[in-house]
């Protein structure tokens, strides 16, 4: 199951949905809003989603992971809206009989979500600047790219100067 | 099947959705547009020329009626088209 | 930080200890008591630890992971005592600026804990049988072994027949 | 430094701790023992012969005074010795 959420993510409530008597391992990933990126100090993030497509693509990724890794359960929730430092932007959880599969599936889901699901984030910096975070590779269907934007890639991102 | 010589002169009403940097550059989230563009590629180039979008086709994907589509599939009357800037969830 | 706990593990309380303004990723692993192992139906598990050594070895693993992976924080808590199906036997959490390190560290910690920390588990089966779970490889210092016991290995485990 | 010919005839008081399968096979968690065994290896073989432990030295590690030790380091009066069966946390 994959869902876009406009309200704060509640990890404990989500994790109870992963319970299964046959599951021996549960791995979760949380993406937190960090106070810096590529050397710039971040004040907050804004997430925007093309909700119908995001939920369709996300559901496909999660169902694919369940099948591929033989999971008991898997879930992913992604926030939209304005998030402050320390808030949870995305939560992924996977339960499986053994930990190999739970780790691999959790990693697979967050990687695929970051690459394929139509969600965008805009960083607002302490200095008043802001910018959409992306890398050009992401736009190529089926192509994988580095886990995080790199300085070289980020120069392609349009920077919108905030009003003084 | 329509001949492409005809397609290029027809006008279709297309529903456009904009997200992220394209939404900001366009200044709105959605619009209806009558266009002679026969394909998503032609439509994007038309919009890019008009609004100065900085992203090029190789950096985008296109969604037609809630399915990822190809740039060269003919557009149909009433299609809902969204150009997808590079994503960055998480 | 590593700790042996005789009482139930509270993941949410632990996870708050991983918070850091510079952390963008948090990965947790939970080991759950599973209702089966190697084809046998499990009723419950008993965990036993050599507490002073376990906490010393565990602290060494967690501190090593923090250093090795550049983590913001890392924690591991392991239960002892009798656990029922679905209960949390071990909890690992790691926070880091990026997810590569958080995933790798979380996996590293649970692998090292399973290999090196003096904790033992005894499975009690539905059929009344019971057995200590181990594999011979674990006894070799510095040697790694498969994530889970395998049927071939388990035959080395003494089986103690329960009183009728 | 003691000569090994002397070591083998000395008797030391050793504090033993037992865990898991060894605890069950011994039937207790700890004991004090006066032994002529000069090393952890000799001590384990003595205990194994007496109690029928099924695990052999290659399957065990030894802890002396809360440090992983070597099997052939001479034991000292009052040492706390624990033989560590193969572990299985998690």
């Amino acid at each position: 199951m994959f869902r876009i959420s406009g309200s704060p993510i509640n990890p404990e409530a989500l994790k109870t949905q992963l319970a299964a008597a046959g599951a021996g391992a549960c791995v979760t990933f949380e993406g937190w809003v960090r106070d810096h990126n590529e050397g710039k100090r971040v004040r907050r993030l804004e997430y925007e989603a093309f909700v119908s497509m995001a939920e369709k693509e996300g559901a496909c990724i999660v169902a694919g992971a369940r099948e591929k890794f033989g999971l008991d359960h898997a879930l992913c929730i992604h926030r939209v809206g304005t998030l402050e430092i320390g808030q949870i932007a995305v939560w992924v959880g996977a339960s499986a009989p053994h930990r190999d599969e739970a780790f691999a599936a959790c990693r697979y889901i967050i990687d695929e979500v970051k690459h394929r699901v139509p969600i965008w984030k805009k960083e607002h910096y302490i200095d008043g600047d802001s910018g959409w975070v992306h890398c050009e590779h992401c736009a190529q269907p089926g192509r994988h790219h580095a886990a995080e934007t790199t300085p070289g890639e980020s120069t392609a991102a349009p920077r919108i100067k905030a009003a003084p | 099947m329509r001949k492409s010589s005809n397609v290029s002169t027809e006008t279709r009403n297309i529903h456009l959705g904009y997200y992220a940097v394209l939404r900001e550059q366009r200044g709105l989230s959605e619009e209806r547009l009558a266009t002679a563009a026969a394909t998503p590629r032609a439509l994007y180039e038309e919009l890019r020329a008009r609004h100065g979008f900085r992203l090029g086709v190789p950096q985008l994907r296109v969604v037609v009626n809630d399915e990822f589509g190809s740039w060269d599939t003919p557009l149909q009357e009433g299609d809902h088209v969204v150009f997808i800037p590079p994503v960055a969830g998480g």
Side-chain angles (χ1 to χ4, degrees), chain A, chain B:
Chain A
M1 200 267 278
F2 180 94
R3 202 157 44 78
I4 296 291
S5 172
S7 55
I9 289 169
N10 180 345
E12 273 310 276
L14 294 168
K15 213 177 54 195
T16 61
Q17 298 179 47
L18 301 177
C26 173
V27 174
T28 71
F29 169 81
E30 294 184 8
W32 292 349
V33 178
R34 205 175 47 216
D35 66 0
H36 66 280
N37 195 28
E38 297 166 26
K40 300 199 74 162
R41 290 170 64 207
V42 174
R43 185 189 301 278
R44 64 178 187 279
L45 290 185
E46 252 181 277
Y47 283 94
E48 179 174 340
F50 179 0
V51 176
S52 59
M53 282 304 288
E55 294 197 330
K56 189 193 276 197
E57 278 283 281
C60 173
I61 291 166
V62 172
R66 274 190 71 166
E67 175 75 18
K68 181 180 168 76
F69 298 101
L71 303 179
D72 288 292
H73 298 291
L75 283 175
C76 178
I77 311 291
H78 203 297
R79 270 299 300 278
V80 288
T82 299
L83 277 78
E84 307 295 329
I85 306 302
Q87 286 196 286
I88 304 173
V90 57
W91 187 94
V92 181
S95 60
H98 299 277
R99 70 186 185 284
D100 271 349
E101 290 72 22
F103 270 104
C106 190
R107 181 65 199 251
Y108 171 85
I109 292 169
I110 186 60
D111 285 355
E112 291 295 308
V113 165
K114 290 202 179 212
H115 296 169
R116 287 166 48 187
V117 174
I119 298 171
W120 299 271
K121 77 177 156 195
K122 187 178 185 176
E123 290 178 340
H124 294 266
Y125 305 105
I126 297 278
D127 67 9
D129 222 11
S130 66
W132 291 96
V133 179
H134 59 68
C135 65
E136 296 178 26
H137 298 296
C138 308
Q140 308 299 329
R143 276 192 58 184
H144 282 235
H145 66 113
E148 305 291 335
T149 57
T150 66
E153 290 165 337
S154 74
T155 55
R159 301 268 175 208
I160 297 107
K161 193 75 187 175
Chain B
M1 202 173 201
R2 298 171 299 189
K3 278 186 268 176
S4 65
S5 57
N6 291 339
V7 170
S8 63
T9 57
E10 282 175 19
T11 292
R12 287 159 210 81
N13 293 293
I14 300 296
H15 184 186
L16 281 154
Y18 296 106
Y19 291 93
V21 66
L22 293 178
R23 175 182 55 71
E24 287 190 340
Q25 289 173 2
R26 179 66 188 90
L28 44 75
S29 294
E30 48 186 300
E31 65 178 332
R32 289 187 183 276
L33 186 76
T35 178
T39 63
R41 186 187 304 279
L43 175 59
Y44 184 75
E45 293 303 346
E46 175 187 326
L47 293 165
R48 191 182 188 189
R50 191 180 308 159
H51 304 298
F53 295 154
R54 273 164 282 188
L55 293 167
V57 163
Q59 296 164 286
L60 301 167
R61 285 183 293 172
V62 62
V63 167
V64 179
N65 303 327
D66 271 10
E67 299 284 353
F68 284 104
S70 101
W71 288 97
D72 300 310
T73 300
L75 290 170
Q76 308 290 331
E77 172 66 25
D79 275 352
H80 183 275
V81 176
V82 178
F83 300 106
I84 307 286
V87 304

